[in-house]
């Protein structure tokens, strides 16, 4: 999209009823709507309070720091297995209803090689279906049918955040707190847009430091995040 056709509300606070785009002025351009937005005739309006975000080339959504998660197709999430049925696993993703993970929603999945996940297993997943009043559907594959990074997360430590912080951590370019930590420590991380983060490192002290830095970063500026990480590193040493 050209700069002239972007919404003037990007990174600004919006409330339900605000009109953020007039489709008649976009010519033939296509846009993708995420959480908190809907189309009404020839305009795009806001359905929940928060900050309007934009991701090139054409995606808009409203970012709110809520504990409850509203599933959206394409989201990556961290889910906890709560039960298993003949055709699917029931997974807690912090949504209003448990999500379904079909037993065949794995790379090369067949009835002969159904994974055995115990209750409490932590999984990194992708939302493939999300409709009101229906259980969301999940997958352990990317859009091309490959396992990629999806699947069980072993060892490490999982903690919960607001959904707003989770989106901030996944922003491009790299979030300052993660960029600074990555220059000083070696660690693994998986971030779910449902407000869950998993961290693994070579020592418990490193895991605790990374986790504390992430939780503390939500209300800090980029410069403040870097200063905070430096102070935590001094304590670790």
């Amino acid at each position: 999209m050209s700069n002239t056709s972007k919404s003037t509300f990007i990174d600004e606070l919006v409330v339900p009823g605000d009109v953020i785009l007039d489709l008649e002025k976009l010519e033939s351009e296509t846009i993708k709507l995420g959480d908190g937005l809907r189309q009404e005739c020839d305009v795009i309006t806001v359905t929940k309070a928060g900050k309007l975000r934009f991701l090139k080339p054409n995606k808009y959504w409203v970012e709110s720091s809520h504990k409850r998660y509203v599933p959206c197709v394409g989201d990556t999430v961290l889910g906890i297995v709560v039960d298993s049925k003949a055709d699917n696993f029931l997974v807690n993703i912090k949504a209003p209803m448990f999500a379904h993970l079909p037993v065949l929603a794995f790379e090369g999945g067949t009835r002969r090689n159904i994974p055995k996940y115990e209750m409490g297993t932590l999984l990194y997943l992708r939302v493939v279906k999300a409709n009101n009043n229906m259980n969301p559907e999940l997958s352990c594959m990317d859009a091309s049918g490959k396992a990629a990074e999806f699947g069980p997360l072993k060892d490490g430590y999982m903690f919960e955040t607001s959904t707003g912080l989770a989106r901030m951590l996944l922003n491009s370019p790299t979030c300052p707190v993660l960029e600074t930590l990555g220059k000083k420590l070696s660690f693994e991380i998986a971030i779910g847009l449902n407000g869950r983060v998993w961290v693994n490192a070579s020592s418990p002290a490193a895991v605790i430091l990374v986790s504390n830095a992430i939780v503390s970063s939500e209300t800090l500026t980029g410069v403040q995040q870097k200063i905070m990480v430096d102070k935590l590193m001094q304590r670790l040493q």
Side-chain angles (χ1 to χ4, degrees):
M1 298 177 71
S2 62
N3 288 333
T4 57
S5 60
K6 281 186 186 177
S7 172
T8 57
F9 289 89
I10 293 173
D11 294 331
E12 299 290 335
L13 289 173
V14 292
V15 296
D18 281 350
V19 175
I20 60 116
L21 277 174
D22 185 341
L23 299 180
E24 290 184 341
K25 297 180 180 179
L26 296 185
E27 298 176 354
S28 60
E29 295 166 350
T30 300
I31 64 171
K32 294 181 180 179
L33 300 182
D35 192 32
L37 298 171
R38 72 182 175 200
Q39 180 177 346
E40 294 183 350
C41 298
D42 291 328
V43 296
I44 304 301
T45 62
V46 176
T47 61
K48 73 173 185 179
K51 278 191 177 182
L52 181 67
R53 298 300 193 188
F54 172 73
L55 181 66
K56 294 182 179 179
N58 58 0
K59 183 172 182 178
Y60 289 90
W61 73 94
V62 176
E63 178 182 289
S64 301
S65 291
H66 293 311
K67 290 294 184 181
R68 197 187 79 165
Y69 166 64
V70 179
C72 187
V73 172
D75 282 358
T76 53
V77 297
L78 270 64
I80 300 171
V81 176
V82 295
D83 200 2
S84 60
K85 305 292 184 182
D87 294 321
N88 56 63
F89 297 96
L90 289 183
V91 184
N92 178 342
I93 59 170
K94 292 176 66 177
M97 293 183 285
F98 288 141
H100 290 166
L101 173 62
V103 296
L104 301 182
F106 300 84
E107 182 178 2
T110 68
R111 286 289 177 181
R112 293 186 177 182
N113 64 354
I114 294 174
K116 292 180 173 60
Y117 293 139
E118 298 179 356
M119 289 180 60
T121 299
L122 181 65
L123 300 172
Y124 188 51
L125 304 152
R126 187 169 67 93
V127 179
V128 293
K129 290 182 182 178
N131 299 305
N132 290 336
N133 304 317
M134 291 181 63
N135 298 81
E137 186 174 316
L138 308 170
S139 175
C140 266
M141 298 180 287
D142 62 17
S144 64
K146 300 296 183 181
E149 70 271 30
F150 298 107
L153 297 171
K154 299 177 181 178
D155 303 320
Y157 170 64
M158 190 275 287
F159 58 96
E160 298 196 351
T161 71
S162 68
T163 56
L165 176 56
R167 287 194 181 276
M168 184 183 79
L169 295 171
L170 288 169
N171 274 352
S172 181
T174 305
C175 180
V177 67
L178 294 183
E179 181 182 22
T180 309
L181 286 168
K183 292 178 179 177
K184 301 176 183 294
L185 288 171
S186 177
F187 62 94
E188 297 176 90
I189 188 168
I191 302 162
L193 286 168
N194 57 331
R196 284 185 177 143
V197 179
W198 172 86
V199 174
N200 196 16
S202 57
S203 71
V207 171
I208 293 171
L209 186 150
V210 172
S211 303
N212 286 341
I214 289 172
V215 171
S216 301
S217 70
E218 184 164 12
T219 58
L220 303 180
T221 65
V223 172
Q224 290 172 331
Q225 290 178 26
K226 293 178 180 179
I227 293 172
M228 177 261 297
V229 172
D230 288 339
K231 289 182 178 178
L232 290 175
M233 288 300 302
Q234 290 173 6
R235 296 178 191 174
L236 182 64
Q237 296 165 357

PDB file of all heavy atoms in Angstrom, residues 181-199:
ATOM      1  N   LEU A 181      18.715  -8.729  24.958  1.00  0.00           N
ATOM      2  CA  LEU A 181      18.955 -10.026  25.604  1.00  0.00           C
ATOM      3  C   LEU A 181      19.714 -10.959  24.673  1.00  0.00           C
ATOM      4  O   LEU A 181      20.617 -11.695  25.096  1.00  0.00           O
ATOM      5  CB  LEU A 181      17.626 -10.663  26.018  1.00  0.00           C
ATOM      6  CG  LEU A 181      16.916 -10.059  27.223  1.00  0.00           C
ATOM      7  CD1 LEU A 181      15.482 -10.590  27.324  1.00  0.00           C
ATOM      8  CD2 LEU A 181      17.683 -10.376  28.515  1.00  0.00           C
ATOM      9  N   GLY A 182      19.349 -10.942  23.375  1.00  0.00           N
ATOM     10  CA  GLY A 182      19.974 -11.842  22.407  1.00  0.00           C
ATOM     11  C   GLY A 182      21.451 -11.561  22.207  1.00  0.00           C
ATOM     12  O   GLY A 182      22.210 -12.467  21.812  1.00  0.00           O
ATOM     13  N   LYS A 183      21.880 -10.331  22.462  1.00  0.00           N
ATOM     14  CA  LYS A 183      23.298  -9.987  22.322  1.00  0.00           C
ATOM     15  C   LYS A 183      24.116 -10.416  23.535  1.00  0.00           C
ATOM     16  O   LYS A 183      25.343 -10.474  23.468  1.00  0.00           O
ATOM     17  CB  LYS A 183      23.441  -8.473  22.127  1.00  0.00           C
ATOM     18  CG  LYS A 183      22.888  -7.960  20.801  1.00  0.00           C
ATOM     19  CD  LYS A 183      23.011  -6.448  20.708  1.00  0.00           C
ATOM     20  CE  LYS A 183      22.478  -5.931  19.378  1.00  0.00           C
ATOM     21  NZ  LYS A 183      22.525  -4.453  19.284  1.00  0.00           N
ATOM     22  N   LYS A 184      23.425 -10.732  24.631  1.00  0.00           N
ATOM     23  CA  LYS A 184      24.128 -11.022  25.878  1.00  0.00           C
ATOM     24  C   LYS A 184      23.947 -12.461  26.369  1.00  0.00           C
ATOM     25  O   LYS A 184      24.754 -12.955  27.148  1.00  0.00           O
ATOM     26  CB  LYS A 184      23.654 -10.063  26.975  1.00  0.00           C
ATOM     27  CG  LYS A 184      23.883  -8.588  26.628  1.00  0.00           C
ATOM     28  CD  LYS A 184      23.319  -7.659  27.688  1.00  0.00           C
ATOM     29  CE  LYS A 184      23.488  -6.197  27.299  1.00  0.00           C
ATOM     30  NZ  LYS A 184      24.907  -5.795  27.248  1.00  0.00           N
ATOM     31  N   LEU A 185      22.889 -13.123  25.911  1.00  0.00           N
ATOM     32  CA  LEU A 185      22.585 -14.467  26.394  1.00  0.00           C
ATOM     33  C   LEU A 185      22.171 -15.376  25.242  1.00  0.00           C
ATOM     34  O   LEU A 185      21.668 -14.911  24.217  1.00  0.00           O
ATOM     35  CB  LEU A 185      21.430 -14.431  27.411  1.00  0.00           C
ATOM     36  CG  LEU A 185      21.692 -13.844  28.791  1.00  0.00           C
ATOM     37  CD1 LEU A 185      20.368 -13.704  29.533  1.00  0.00           C
ATOM     38  CD2 LEU A 185      22.649 -14.725  29.583  1.00  0.00           C
ATOM     39  N   SER A 186      22.364 -16.675  25.432  1.00  0.00           N
ATOM     40  CA  SER A 186      21.866 -17.671  24.483  1.00  0.00           C
ATOM     41  C   SER A 186      20.629 -18.320  25.092  1.00  0.00           C
ATOM     42  O   SER A 186      20.697 -18.883  26.192  1.00  0.00           O
ATOM     43  CB  SER A 186      22.941 -18.728  24.207  1.00  0.00           C
ATOM     44  OG  SER A 186      22.430 -19.728  23.339  1.00  0.00           O
ATOM     45  N   PHE A 187      19.485 -18.194  24.397  1.00  0.00           N
ATOM     46  CA  PHE A 187      18.258 -18.772  24.928  1.00  0.00           C
ATOM     47  C   PHE A 187      17.288 -19.066  23.788  1.00  0.00           C
ATOM     48  O   PHE A 187      17.413 -18.540  22.683  1.00  0.00           O
ATOM     49  CB  PHE A 187      17.594 -17.831  25.949  1.00  0.00           C
ATOM     50  CG  PHE A 187      17.173 -16.500  25.380  1.00  0.00           C
ATOM     51  CD1 PHE A 187      15.878 -16.293  24.911  1.00  0.00           C
ATOM     52  CD2 PHE A 187      18.072 -15.440  25.304  1.00  0.00           C
ATOM     53  CE1 PHE A 187      15.474 -15.069  24.391  1.00  0.00           C
ATOM     54  CE2 PHE A 187      17.685 -14.207  24.788  1.00  0.00           C
ATOM     55  CZ  PHE A 187      16.390 -14.033  24.328  1.00  0.00           C
ATOM     56  N   GLU A 188      16.320 -19.948  24.080  1.00  0.00           N
ATOM     57  CA  GLU A 188      15.241 -20.250  23.147  1.00  0.00           C
ATOM     58  C   GLU A 188      13.976 -19.570  23.650  1.00  0.00           C
ATOM     59  O   GLU A 188      13.770 -19.461  24.863  1.00  0.00           O
ATOM     60  CB  GLU A 188      14.990 -21.751  23.067  1.00  0.00           C
ATOM     61  CG  GLU A 188      16.133 -22.582  22.543  1.00  0.00           C
ATOM     62  CD  GLU A 188      15.792 -24.064  22.603  1.00  0.00           C
ATOM     63  OE1 GLU A 188      15.231 -24.586  21.609  1.00  0.00           O
ATOM     64  OE2 GLU A 188      16.068 -24.685  23.638  1.00  0.00           O
ATOM     65  N   ILE A 189      13.128 -19.141  22.707  1.00  0.00           N
ATOM     66  CA  ILE A 189      11.884 -18.499  23.113  1.00  0.00           C
ATOM     67  C   ILE A 189      10.780 -18.816  22.115  1.00  0.00           C
ATOM     68  O   ILE A 189      11.036 -18.943  20.906  1.00  0.00           O
ATOM     69  CB  ILE A 189      12.072 -16.964  23.235  1.00  0.00           C
ATOM     70  CG1 ILE A 189      10.829 -16.312  23.847  1.00  0.00           C
ATOM     71  CG2 ILE A 189      12.414 -16.342  21.899  1.00  0.00           C
ATOM     72  CD1 ILE A 189      11.038 -14.870  24.273  1.00  0.00           C
ATOM     73  N   ALA A 190       9.579 -19.020  22.625  1.00  0.00           N
ATOM     74  CA  ALA A 190       8.382 -19.182  21.800  1.00  0.00           C
ATOM     75  C   ALA A 190       7.334 -18.236  22.368  1.00  0.00           C
ATOM     76  O   ALA A 190       7.069 -18.256  23.580  1.00  0.00           O
ATOM     77  CB  ALA A 190       7.882 -20.617  21.810  1.00  0.00           C
ATOM     78  N   ILE A 191       6.750 -17.415  21.508  1.00  0.00           N
ATOM     79  CA  ILE A 191       5.797 -16.391  21.948  1.00  0.00           C
ATOM     80  C   ILE A 191       4.438 -16.662  21.337  1.00  0.00           C
ATOM     81  O   ILE A 191       4.316 -16.801  20.119  1.00  0.00           O
ATOM     82  CB  ILE A 191       6.277 -14.991  21.532  1.00  0.00           C
ATOM     83  CG1 ILE A 191       7.666 -14.709  22.121  1.00  0.00           C
ATOM     84  CG2 ILE A 191       5.282 -13.922  21.977  1.00  0.00           C
ATOM     85  CD1 ILE A 191       8.393 -13.574  21.446  1.00  0.00           C
ATOM     86  N   GLY A 192       3.427 -16.752  22.159  1.00  0.00           N
ATOM     87  CA  GLY A 192       2.069 -16.948  21.685  1.00  0.00           C
ATOM     88  C   GLY A 192       1.291 -15.651  21.742  1.00  0.00           C
ATOM     89  O   GLY A 192       1.363 -14.915  22.748  1.00  0.00           O
ATOM     90  N   LEU A 193       0.550 -15.352  20.686  1.00  0.00           N
ATOM     91  CA  LEU A 193      -0.261 -14.134  20.678  1.00  0.00           C
ATOM     92  C   LEU A 193      -1.399 -14.197  21.694  1.00  0.00           C
ATOM     93  O   LEU A 193      -2.104 -13.217  21.905  1.00  0.00           O
ATOM     94  CB  LEU A 193      -0.827 -13.891  19.274  1.00  0.00           C
ATOM     95  CG  LEU A 193       0.201 -13.384  18.252  1.00  0.00           C
ATOM     96  CD1 LEU A 193      -0.363 -13.447  16.837  1.00  0.00           C
ATOM     97  CD2 LEU A 193       0.619 -11.966  18.591  1.00  0.00           C
ATOM     98  N   ASN A 194      -1.577 -15.359  22.314  1.00  0.00           N
ATOM     99  CA  ASN A 194      -2.582 -15.502  23.362  1.00  0.00           C
ATOM    100  C   ASN A 194      -2.031 -15.116  24.734  1.00  0.00           C
ATOM    101  O   ASN A 194      -2.661 -15.383  25.763  1.00  0.00           O
ATOM    102  CB  ASN A 194      -3.135 -16.925  23.396  1.00  0.00           C
ATOM    103  CG  ASN A 194      -2.056 -17.988  23.602  1.00  0.00           C
ATOM    104  OD1 ASN A 194      -0.908 -17.802  23.218  1.00  0.00           O
ATOM    105  ND2 ASN A 194      -2.442 -19.116  24.177  1.00  0.00           N
ATOM    106  N   GLY A 195      -0.865 -14.468  24.770  1.00  0.00           N
ATOM    107  CA  GLY A 195      -0.331 -14.000  26.039  1.00  0.00           C
ATOM    108  C   GLY A 195       0.375 -15.072  26.844  1.00  0.00           C
ATOM    109  O   GLY A 195       0.278 -15.095  28.078  1.00  0.00           O
ATOM    110  N   ARG A 196       1.114 -15.938  26.148  1.00  0.00           N
ATOM    111  CA  ARG A 196       1.954 -16.932  26.819  1.00  0.00           C
ATOM    112  C   ARG A 196       3.335 -16.913  26.169  1.00  0.00           C
ATOM    113  O   ARG A 196       3.460 -16.801  24.953  1.00  0.00           O
ATOM    114  CB  ARG A 196       1.358 -18.345  26.720  1.00  0.00           C
ATOM    115  CG  ARG A 196       0.177 -18.580  27.648  1.00  0.00           C
ATOM    116  CD  ARG A 196      -0.292 -20.008  27.590  1.00  0.00           C
ATOM    117  NE  ARG A 196      -1.377 -20.247  28.537  1.00  0.00           N
ATOM    118  CZ  ARG A 196      -2.417 -21.044  28.297  1.00  0.00           C
ATOM    119  NH1 ARG A 196      -2.496 -21.678  27.136  1.00  0.00           N
ATOM    120  NH2 ARG A 196      -3.353 -21.198  29.194  1.00  0.00           N
ATOM    121  N   VAL A 197       4.358 -17.025  27.010  1.00  0.00           N
ATOM    122  CA  VAL A 197       5.736 -17.020  26.531  1.00  0.00           C
ATOM    123  C   VAL A 197       6.481 -18.184  27.167  1.00  0.00           C
ATOM    124  O   VAL A 197       6.359 -18.427  28.374  1.00  0.00           O
ATOM    125  CB  VAL A 197       6.446 -15.693  26.883  1.00  0.00           C
ATOM    126  CG1 VAL A 197       7.896 -15.713  26.394  1.00  0.00           C
ATOM    127  CG2 VAL A 197       5.701 -14.501  26.290  1.00  0.00           C
ATOM    128  N   TRP A 198       7.256 -18.910  26.343  1.00  0.00           N
ATOM    129  CA  TRP A 198       8.085 -20.030  26.823  1.00  0.00           C
ATOM    130  C   TRP A 198       9.538 -19.673  26.604  1.00  0.00           C
ATOM    131  O   TRP A 198       9.924 -19.188  25.531  1.00  0.00           O
ATOM    132  CB  TRP A 198       7.713 -21.297  26.065  1.00  0.00           C
ATOM    133  CG  TRP A 198       8.623 -22.477  26.317  1.00  0.00           C
ATOM    134  CD1 TRP A 198       8.527 -23.397  27.327  1.00  0.00           C
ATOM    135  CD2 TRP A 198       9.741 -22.891  25.517  1.00  0.00           C
ATOM    136  NE1 TRP A 198       9.518 -24.339  27.219  1.00  0.00           N
ATOM    137  CE2 TRP A 198      10.277 -24.058  26.120  1.00  0.00           C
ATOM    138  CE3 TRP A 198      10.345 -22.386  24.367  1.00  0.00           C
ATOM    139  CZ2 TRP A 198      11.391 -24.722  25.590  1.00  0.00           C
ATOM    140  CZ3 TRP A 198      11.454 -23.030  23.842  1.00  0.00           C
ATOM    141  CH2 TRP A 198      11.962 -24.196  24.450  1.00  0.00           C
ATOM    142  N   VAL A 199      10.356 -19.881  27.644  1.00  0.00           N
ATOM    143  CA  VAL A 199      11.784 -19.567  27.573  1.00  0.00           C
ATOM    144  C   VAL A 199      12.578 -20.773  28.051  1.00  0.00           C
ATOM    145  O   VAL A 199      12.210 -21.432  29.032  1.00  0.00           O
ATOM    146  CB  VAL A 199      12.125 -18.346  28.458  1.00  0.00           C
ATOM    147  CG1 VAL A 199      13.632 -18.119  28.496  1.00  0.00           C
ATOM    148  CG2 VAL A 199      11.419 -17.098  27.952  1.00  0.00           C
TER     149      VAL A 199
END
